[in-house]
Amino acid sequence: MSNFSYDYFHEDEKKFIQACAEFNSTISLRKERKQVLKIVMDENISFYSENSSTGEIVNFVFNEKYFDGLLRKYISPEEVRKMIRSLFE
Amino acid sequence: MNNIKEYSSIFATKLAYIVDKYLGLNESGIISSVSSITTEKETTAKNWLFNGKIPRENKRLTIADRLGISYDYLFNDEIPISELKKPEVFIADGHYYIPQLPDLDIKGIKKADVLPIQGRVPVMLPSFDKIISKYGRNIYATQLKISSFAPYIDNGATVICSEKLIIEEYKFLLFQSSSGLTIKRIVNTGEKLQLLEVVNGEEKINNLESLDEALLVILSFSF
């Protein structure tokens, strides 16, 4: 188990970290070129894929709101959107 | 409403009223017209109209869809004939069956009294109850051949959209243009909510225009 503690972070920072983790998971899923079901609902972009070894459905929900909410403090909304788009292309 | 011809049941009266007033009688009369629209035999149509028979449960939704009205309107005798309702989301066995409109005509949907549909998209999402309580049951599905907002909403994605518009950041809106359906997104530009569209790969931000001819995208899915 990781010793990493989230206790030092504010609630919105925790959500942002979670969004980053989901971003990375999604990229991994796409790199594996699995068949992915993508559902877009407002700021939530969900990915569903079947784990070929276990047969379980793997699910990642990328919450754009948390992701770009804090990121916008440092780069422009256009850059954030480009970054998110690059995830799907 | 006083000159509506009454048939053997309220169902039959509504059936004949819709066919006669909105869908059009053919030259052979009401029995042939009902048979043709519902794709049931003429003897069945005759039994509905004149002998008080009601369709079996497993055929009712299809019949209401072919007529372009809601299941509730056609089979709930407490709903008056004058209170027409278009096809709505139908809920059965934990599934939500969304009216499917392959050639979505947004203006037509908003003006229509009746809206014949050829099929439904089954959706099984636990949160769909919340969606219905937020957006109502006038929800439709269509397939977006070319998306102006790929890769969020991909070419060929199935889009579930509602007539009720709730304007919030991150939501997508569906508009009709001369070249087909266009997706735009509500974004917060710091001061106010505006509309973001992508034209030839370039982002353009405009003020929220008249939304009378827009539908709200509730969700989209693609593989």
Side-chain angles (χ1 to χ4, degrees):
Chain A
M1 184 182 286
S2 166
N3 292 323
F4 186 79
S5 170
Y6 284 90
D7 294 346
Y8 299 104
F9 295 99
H10 294 296
E11 203 54 41
D12 57 351
E13 289 172 324
K14 287 180 196 173
K15 285 174 180 167
F16 176 66
I17 291 167
Q18 180 68 27
C20 288
E22 284 154 2
F23 191 99
N24 288 329
S25 300
T26 308
I27 289 170
S28 308
L29 203 68
R30 292 187 69 80
K31 276 183 182 168
E32 291 170 31
R33 296 187 178 184
K34 290 178 177 174
Q35 185 169 24
V36 178
L37 166 64
K38 182 170 89 182
I39 299 179
V40 179
M41 188 172 174
D42 303 339
E43 78 272 18
N44 289 311
I45 305 163
S46 309
F47 297 87
Y48 297 85
S49 178
E50 189 175 355
N51 184 321
S52 52
S53 53
T54 64
E56 289 177 7
I57 300 294
V58 183
N59 172 24
F60 300 119
V61 181
F62 174 65
N63 189 313
E64 199 180 343
K65 191 177 190 173
Y66 297 135
F67 190 81
D68 81 359
L70 281 178
L71 211 58
R72 275 185 193 203
K73 289 181 180 174
Y74 308 105
I75 60 175
S76 70
E78 289 76 19
E79 290 299 315
V80 175
R81 280 196 293 269
K82 275 182 194 168
M83 199 172 165
I84 295 170
R85 271 196 203 171
S86 69
L87 172 68
F88 307 129
E89 287 172 332
Chain B
M1 285 291 158
N2 292 334
N3 49 10
I4 292 174
K5 187 176 176 184
E6 288 191 15
Y7 284 80
S8 61
S9 65
I10 294 174
F11 156 73
T13 301
K14 286 177 177 173
L15 174 67
Y17 172 67
I18 297 297
V19 170
D20 186 15
K21 181 162 182 189
Y22 293 98
L23 304 178
L25 290 174
N26 64 28
E27 289 175 355
S28 304
I30 186 70
I31 295 173
S32 169
S33 302
V34 168
S35 166
S36 166
I37 290 164
T38 61
T39 65
E40 292 288 334
K41 292 177 187 167
E42 289 200 5
T43 49
T44 306
K46 190 176 174 184
N47 279 330
W48 292 341
L49 291 165
F50 300 107
N51 296 324
K53 302 276 187 188
I54 307 290
R56 281 178 299 180
E57 181 58 47
N58 63 355
K59 290 195 168 181
R60 290 183 185 183
L61 183 62
T62 305
I63 292 165
D65 284 350
R66 296 251 160 85
L67 293 168
I69 46 174
S70 78
Y71 175 100
D72 288 346
Y73 171 82
L74 191 58
F75 295 103
N76 182 345
D77 290 351
E78 291 178 7
I79 298 177
I81 294 173
S82 58
E83 290 183 15
L84 280 172
K85 288 170 78 181
K86 289 178 284 189
E88 303 171 316
V89 176
F90 184 78
I91 306 165
D93 306 325
H95 286 69
Y96 301 84
Y97 296 89
I98 318 291
Q100 187 175 24
L101 297 166
D103 299 309
L104 189 69
D105 169 12
I106 296 175
K107 283 184 197 172
I109 287 176
K110 294 205 169 189
K111 287 181 185 166
D113 290 316
V114 300
L115 190 64
I117 60 170
Q118 299 301 317
R120 286 176 177 258
V121 175
V123 172
M124 194 177 69
L125 278 180
S127 59
F128 219 85
D129 268 342
K130 288 180 188 165
I131 287 174
I132 287 174
S133 55
K134 185 170 181 179
Y135 299 102
R137 288 172 67 180
N138 287 123
I139 292 174
Y140 312 99
T142 194
Q143 197 171 29
L144 213 56
K145 294 181 183 83
I146 297 171
S147 168
S148 56
F149 228 98
Y152 282 91
I153 296 177
D154 301 310
N155 293 337
T158 298
V159 177
I160 311 283
C161 43
S162 88
E163 271 190 57
K164 184 175 176 181
L165 303 180
I166 295 178
I167 304 305
E168 293 170 337
E169 189 184 5
Y170 293 105
K171 290 202 180 299
F172 292 96
L173 292 168
L174 193 60
F175 290 87
Q176 197 137 32
S177 67
S178 54
S179 57
L181 296 170
T182 307
I183 296 274
K184 297 180 186 180
R185 194 171 204 191
I186 301 167
V187 293
N188 187 343
T189 53
E191 296 170 0
K192 56 184 177 179
L193 296 179
Q194 291 188 291
L195 272 183
L196 170 72
E197 65 178 313
V198 181
V199 181
N200 299 325
E202 294 291 319
E203 291 189 351
K204 289 186 177 176
I205 290 186
N206 298 306
N207 288 329
L208 278 167
E209 57 197 67
S210 167
L211 302 177
D212 295 344
E213 292 174 5
L215 295 177
L216 184 86
V217 176
I218 297 172
L219 65 92
S220 76
F221 60 87
S222 54
F223 289 94

